Amino acid sequence: MTADKEKRRAISREAARRRRRVESDVFGDLSQLLPLQPSVRANLDKPSVIRLTLSYIRMHTLLKGSAGLKAQTSHTVRYGQVLEGGEERQMHDGGRDKEEKGTEEVEVSEETNMYLRIMEGFLMVLSTEGDMIYLSDNVSKYMGLTQAELMGHNIFEFTHPCDHEEIRNNLRLTAEQVWSGAKRDFVMRIKSALTHRGRSANLKSATWKVLHCQGRAKVCVTPSSVSCLLLTCQPLPLSHTLLSTHTFTSQHSMDMRFTYCDQRVTLLLGYSPQELLGRSIYDLCHTLDIKCLTKNHLNLCLKSQSVSGQYRMLVRGGGYVWVESHSAVIPSVKPSKSRPGAHQPLCILCVTYVLSGVEEPSLQLSLDQTLNRYLS
Amino acid sequence: MSAGGSEGTADRTADPAAEEKGQASQAGPSLPAVELPRKRKGVVEEKSDTHVQQSIDFQMEDELSRSEAEDQQVKMKCFREPHRQIEKRRRDKMNNLIDELSAMIPACQPMARKLDKLTVLRKAVQHLKALKAGTSGAFSDTTYKPSILPHDDLRHLLLRAADSFLLVVSCDRAKILFISESVSKILNFSRLELTGQSLFDFIHPKDINKVKEQLSSSELFPRQRLIDAATGAQVPADTPVRVSHLSTGARRSFFCRMKHSRVTGKHEDKRSLPSTSKKKDTYRYCTLHCTGYMRSWPSSQLDSEGDAEKEPSNLTCLVMVCRLHPHVSHHPSKDINVKPTEFVTRCAIDGKFIYVDQQATTVIGFLPQEVLGTSCYEYFHQDDLQHLAEKHRQVLRNKEKIETQCYKFKTKYGSYVSLQSQWFSFTNPWTKEVEFIVSLNRVISRGPGHTKDEEEAGGSKALQEDIKQIPVIPGLSSGLGPMIYAGSIGTQIANELIDSYRMNSSPSSGSSSPFGTAQEKCPLVSPKTSRSASSREDTAGSSSQSQSDSKTTAGGAASGSTGEPSQLDLDNMVVPGLSSFSNDEAAMAVIMSLLETDVNMGQSGDFEDLHWPF
């Protein structure tokens, strides 16, 4: 009896092994067809292969309709001529030997890489359900996880739960919005498995990174493809390079009252730093921009970093200037042995860029302005 | 970091916990990492067997108290059970993925029954092959880095997402060395027109200084300041950055305004552009956010100039991406379903407001205190009066909610807002009388109603038949005619109700009424009501105030004590001189007459229904 059972078990084991082998072969075939680097391909597990296949197919459907919208070939000829500089040098030498198509590919790839590098961000294509259909490969620089690991997963697995509502709102698209390429601009927190030194660590020890996402809805020509958002995601920098005249920095308490402002504000807005201390930024801005500032403030409180978008600040004697602020919350710093000095409480640091000149200098928009203009 | 040392072909049991996190898992058996006290997974190189051993050790600690035989059993059970769950999860996940895949592949679509895993995978392979054959063989050339997306597509997506163009300008003379094709979409100038031009020709005059500043190379201008947001302190740049042509130089980020032409399409003649155009208003400016970095190359590499006598100096350029700065307004997307404005009001049975929600002000313009005590009929548009009066009557007699149609409500400023309301009446369980009507009013967003400034209800407009001329109510000046008139509709209706109560029960002076004044006035008003009601019956209208016309309510009740006073033959009603009563005698008289009525009706059960307020 038992021998019989044994034999049967052995047969079924063999069959199972065979099945598994066949399955693995098919998986292998599939992964071979995916345009991946060999090193990446070797490390894929089965679910990942399917995930990436799905992404590939989806992207293909998405872009199928825009075949006609791709860059014209006419530019490639000029491309080679106009370009100067070291980085394109190699294309000069090599480009003329290859077929035009190959040249075009290389040039385009150089251009896109340059774009991504300068922009300091990565591209994300998000479906309306939140699936990250596509991520440009430099995502590993920002999230510590590679393109192959992330593509096809859902963004809600990687973002801060408190931001999910906002992300969902941004993903809501009507047909009309998709066709008109409605724009999106929001800030969210995403997991980053990068250590301080820039090395990738385990996702369990991930920290939150604040990303500024901007983009628009993508027109889908084929009916089978799901509409999606194209977004560039840029981490908000924590250090800014400033040059003199058109920016100024300020520090605020958490309620956005000025606690410090640098001297350059005088040239730009007319106020002296002293008279700004203790005043709320909401007092100093155009009433119609209060919503913009509130959103900025909320982002700061919740996500610790924010980009304000354009708003108007009132100039001392009348009129206003268009500005944009990049702000961050600075954690409170207690004086210690390594860092002696005064205790720095939790506060907000703003770098404000002035975008325009003084508009309508005689327009009085606040009582304050009138007082300043006529009484001082 | 590698994605984990998994072998592609072996049937690996992936660790689902790690899988969920998007990482291809580590080599090793799947362990119930979730169930066990979690061992922190550091870097990937843990040996699989030690891991197993350690986990089992954890288990062992828990089961120390058990016997040997049980130990073995328990070990296996604890090990296998969560393992089963993990296996199940993994299988479910795989099945989901396979389902998704079959949904994406056209070949799998028309199948009636679900395809098995292997078939789906095979079809996927075929599909991919077909896709690749269809494309221009972009992936066949493996000399450069293959990527999931052909670069062309990536660029297209990038440009679409980011409304930007690439710009390379030389720092010494701000000559545009390179600009990408996408500029034509953003500034409406073609690439050809811009390349080789001076950037300053295209910048807003007020921003020229700013841009000049930005172009100054870092070596000459060490006054850049860094703000370290971690500390908030300004960090002076200590040494000017040494730039080789392969490494990135100093970063620049600024905003500037650039011209963009209103005329789309290419301009034929380059020279007719900005420099010659004197009219500044031909151009509009758009704000661009420019970010990039400085790069310098030894200029001997430049061969396009063809100038061999060029000094061997460094050519420094600013390479940047200029992104159209969107003025995205920060309000919630219109897709978010905002509840239409609703507000609640309460009215007495005659339609006078006794409570108004504060939110009403945003809709009707009046503050709550401005409308309290006034009749809602004063605000209804005359076209709606009939239907609303009807609903008013209905709600007083029904227990359920009554929906009105859309009607217009007059706002403070004379215009009308479209509302639709749900009314229901609140009946006092003790007195069984309607105390008030609650109205839930919803704003129907339609076009603005026709603006009727005055309530011309009392005017020359044709009125519905059952709304009659103004009965003169003593004590109120005639100047308020129209308004009182409208208000009196409500009062009429209320009185009908009250009358119906009287028919059913004693005129319990103790019965609660939402407002004291009406109660007092009730006896006074009812004769007039009945008069006007009676005049309602015949259009001739009667303004007779004499008490001789008063009829007892009792008589009237005979014909319709069911509470439908509108059908009452009020001509038969006799109200014994109530307008002149001032003492209890008249009250008694009324009671008596009512009792007589009830007796006349011969409904013995009525006496039980009579409500005697003791």
Side-chain angles (χ1 to χ4, degrees), chain B residues 64-82:
Chain B
L64 273 177
S65 50
R66 309 230 188 160
S67 69
E68 265 302 307
E70 271 182 32
D71 252 351
Q72 204 64 15
Q73 221 177 22
V74 160
K75 223 198 301 179
M76 290 315 289
K77 198 167 104 177
C78 286
F79 185 69
R80 206 180 291 140
E81 184 134 15

Side-chain angles (χ1 to χ4, degrees), chain B residues 200-366:
Chain B
F200 292 134
D201 288 341
F202 292 90
I203 302 264
H204 192 286
K206 290 202 180 138
D207 289 341
I208 289 182
N209 278 334
K210 189 198 284 191
V211 175
K212 266 195 187 147
E213 220 170 47
Q214 297 287 337
L215 288 177
S216 329
S217 73
S218 54
E219 286 104 84
L220 299 172
F221 232 83
R223 266 194 266 146
Q224 63 185 18
R225 264 170 286 182
L226 294 170
I227 295 273
D228 182 5
T231 57
Q234 289 199 1
V235 177
D238 15 349
T239 54
V241 185
R242 296 298 292 142
V243 188
S244 78
H245 79 280
L246 288 175
S247 66
T248 58
R251 278 208 65 92
R252 291 284 185 265
S253 168
F254 60 96
F255 293 86
C256 69
R257 285 164 289 179
M258 279 205 211
K259 277 183 188 145
H260 77 285
S261 161
R262 280 185 194 172
V263 181
T264 47
K266 303 188 198 292
H267 299 250
E268 296 307 328
D269 188 4
K270 274 207 276 192
R271 278 155 236 277
S272 71
L273 274 190
S275 43
T276 56
S277 168
K278 295 285 184 275
K279 294 177 283 177
K280 282 222 171 102
D281 45 342
T282 320
Y283 296 100
R284 290 192 322 224
Y285 293 93
C286 57
T287 313
L288 298 172
H289 186 186
C290 305
T291 50
Y293 53 89
M294 310 287 273
R295 285 186 64 150
S296 74
W297 296 278
S299 70
S300 57
Q301 307 265 332
L302 295 170
D303 54 340
S304 63
E305 299 278 289
D307 191 350
E309 288 142 27
K310 210 170 179 118
E311 294 159 11
S313 61
N314 279 347
L315 174 70
T316 318
C317 296
L318 180 55
V319 183
M320 55 188 174
V321 166
C322 301
R323 185 171 191 159
L324 190 63
H325 202 68
H327 191 97
V328 179
S329 43
H330 294 270
H331 55 245
S333 122
K334 293 181 192 101
D335 286 339
I336 295 177
N337 286 328
V338 182
K339 236 174 60 155
T341 315
E342 285 182 349
F343 61 95
V344 176
T345 56
R346 260 203 312 232
C347 300
I349 55 175
D350 65 353
K352 295 213 172 84
F353 287 112
I354 52 173
Y355 166 78
V356 176
D357 188 350
Q358 292 215 320
Q359 272 196 55
T361 313
T362 57
V363 178
I364 63 177
F366 294 105

Side-chain angles (χ1 to χ4, degrees), chain A residues 20 24 37 70 84 89 115 149 174 183 203 216 232 238-240 242 245 310 324 339 354-355, chain B residues 9 11 21-22 145 153 155 159-160 163 210 213 225 227 229 231 255 301 304 323 325 335:
Chain A
R20 279 199 293 268
S24 302
Q37 294 202 319
K70 285 190 195 163
E84 298 169 13
R89 186 169 42 101
Y115 254 110
E149 288 170 327
T174 62
K183 293 199 176 173
L203 197 60
R216 58 193 335 160
T232 57
L238 281 174
S239 64
H240 293 261
L242 303 175
T245 50
Q310 301 171 10
E324 172 165 311
R339 202 198 284 273
V354 174
L355 306 176
Chain B
T9 50
D11 187 13
K21 296 184 192 83
K145 206 166 95 164
D153 288 330
R155 182 178 58 177
L159 296 177
R160 187 90 186 111
D163 275 344
K210 189 198 284 191
E213 220 170 47
R225 264 170 286 182
I227 295 273
T231 57
F255 293 86
Q301 307 265 332
S304 63
R323 185 171 191 159
H325 202 68
D335 286 339

Side-chain angles (χ1 to χ4, degrees), chain B residues 72-143:
Chain B
Q72 204 64 15
Q73 221 177 22
V74 160
K75 223 198 301 179
M76 290 315 289
K77 198 167 104 177
C78 286
F79 185 69
R80 206 180 291 140
E81 184 134 15
H83 188 86
R84 234 201 319 265
Q85 281 175 16
I86 289 176
E87 274 300 312
K88 183 176 188 319
R89 237 183 299 158
R90 201 176 57 83
R91 270 199 312 274
D92 287 341
K93 193 148 183 241
M94 181 61 90
N95 288 338
N96 285 338
L97 283 171
I98 297 282
D99 287 341
E100 270 187 62
L101 194 57
S102 71
M104 291 295 306
I105 299 175
C108 298
Q109 283 310 325
M111 296 292 161
R113 53 179 180 79
K114 207 168 111 164
L115 289 173
D116 69 296
K117 186 165 152 187
L118 214 52
T119 318
V120 174
L121 288 172
R122 287 211 176 101
K123 290 221 191 284
V125 171
Q126 284 170 6
H127 188 65
L128 282 195
K129 281 186 179 151
L131 287 181
K132 287 178 81 168
T135 64
S136 49
F139 304 121
S140 54
D141 191 354
T142 51
T143 52

